[in-house]
Amino acid sequence: MAYLINSSFKPAWWLNSPHLQTIWPSLFRTRVDLNFRQERIELSDGDFIDLSWHGSKGPLVMVIHGLEGSLSSHYVTPLLKALKLAGFSTLFMHLRGCSEEPNRLARSYHSGATEDLKEILEKLQLRNQQPKAVIGFSLGGNLLLKYLAESGNQSGIQAAIAISVPFNLAHAARRLETGLSRIYGRYLLGKLLRSYQRKCRINNISDSVDTSKIHTIYDFDNKITSQLNGFRDADDYYHRCSSGFHLKKVVTPTLIIHAEDDPFTLSEDSPKADELGPGITLELSPQGGHVGFIQGNIPWHPEYWLDRRIIQYLKQQNIEAREEASEHSDLQLSSNYPTLHISGSLFVKSQLRCFIVSRQSASIY
């Protein structure tokens, strides 16, 4: 039976806007230095996907990143550490072409490339290494939900969590062309273009696209993503790959966490109760931004609510783990920051400017 619940999340009063919630962790959250075992999986089409393993004890949880995400995305290593402290082992899946080396084929990862997730899960199952749960962020959440809808009761996993999902890809692309959200659109477009040009250069792929005429995410998807991956155009790609159109088919126990003020989506695209499959619990929060959900009463001392909520849900699904003793066992994983006194409006403007200028290597997805 599907459930639609109100989230318990309450934003930090000093990060009380969707843009601060979205930008803060990208700029200021401390990434965690973890030891990974790297593995390359050869795919049936001749390409590859890289996996990063952390921890060897406890139920296995897989994490999938968002658009142009990586291990350096602000939510990844802190969550992997929190999961390990809670007694889980973890596996980070780099989407095709998103690890340090560009993928071999001309095709790329995209929001609906469920065949890649399916093949990885099947290969892991053959090795008795099937994850108990999968967590997807943003684009990775859309991909995960689409896979669950397609696989029905054959998903092979016990539970799933999808966070800050762009349920309607067409609307999300348009949202990134309006208002302050254009900041995120320009930032992500720059990363997409650099990745595409680097891949063409390294793999000696002929680039017939005039990238100087690509000004938006929609343009990129229309001229590059769709053409490389067998879609007619961006509209065809968005229609066929938007998870919001398929949620009714999800039967695997799945928690969706979404903020209605997410600056990457339209609030009207939040699914309604009658659009949810029997496995879904949709947890809606009025605030939280895009992969933000930051609490904390003291300025510059953030508390990352998502980490705790994810682990809570996994345990509710009887994915048992043995917690490790640690001074960080509260799972806040906060860092201490110097006190800064600055007015709210000036703070927003200064952080947006800092975000554009200085964080080309970071990822908000």
Side-chain angles (χ1 to χ4, degrees), residues 1 35-36 41 121 127 129 153 165 172 175 203 238 256 309 315:
M1 179 179 178
N35 294 319
F36 291 101
I41 300 291
L121 290 176
R127 295 169 10 181
Q129 291 180 308
N153 58 11
V165 175
R175 177 67 191 275
N203 291 354
Y238 294 155
I256 301 175
R309 181 66 183 103
K315 293 186 175 182

Side-chain angles (χ1 to χ4, degrees), residues 323-342:
E323 294 191 14
E324 295 186 10
S326 169
E327 60 181 326
H328 302 293
S329 60
D330 61 354
L331 303 180
Q332 299 295 336
L333 299 178
S334 304
S335 296
N336 293 322
Y337 301 100
T339 301
L340 176 66
H341 300 285
I342 187 167

Side-chain angles (χ1 to χ4, degrees), residues 115-237:
E115 65 276 9
D116 286 354
L117 177 57
K118 181 176 184 291
E119 184 168 354
I120 291 297
L121 290 176
E122 288 175 346
K123 288 180 180 294
L124 292 175
Q125 186 176 37
L126 290 174
R127 295 169 10 181
N128 293 317
Q129 291 180 308
Q130 183 84 345
K132 296 290 187 182
V134 179
I135 303 167
F137 289 86
S138 196
L139 177 149
N142 185 86
L143 175 69
L144 174 58
L145 292 174
K146 184 171 178 286
Y147 165 77
L148 295 173
E150 292 171 352
S151 58
N153 58 11
Q154 301 298 315
S155 69
I157 58 177
Q158 188 173 328
I161 303 174
I163 299 156
S164 297
V165 175
F167 301 104
N168 186 312
L169 297 172
H171 289 179
R174 295 303 184 194
R175 177 67 191 275
L176 293 173
E177 298 175 16
T178 61
L180 282 176
S181 294
R182 286 178 293 182
I183 294 170
Y184 312 118
R186 289 197 294 267
Y187 169 78
L188 289 168
L189 177 61
K191 294 197 73 174
L192 285 165
L193 287 171
R194 287 191 294 274
S195 293
Y196 172 71
Q197 292 163 345
R198 176 174 177 263
K199 175 179 173 178
C200 290
R201 183 177 65 254
I202 292 176
N203 291 354
N204 293 316
I205 297 174
S206 175
D207 180 11
S208 59
V209 179
D210 184 357
T211 56
S212 67
K213 295 182 179 180
I214 295 178
H215 304 294
T216 65
I217 297 291
Y218 180 89
D219 290 343
F220 185 91
D221 287 338
N222 197 47
K223 296 180 180 179
I224 296 179
T225 307
S226 61
Q227 302 308 302
L228 293 179
N229 294 285
F231 300 100
R232 183 178 65 252
D233 52 25
D235 294 323
D236 180 45
Y237 162 50

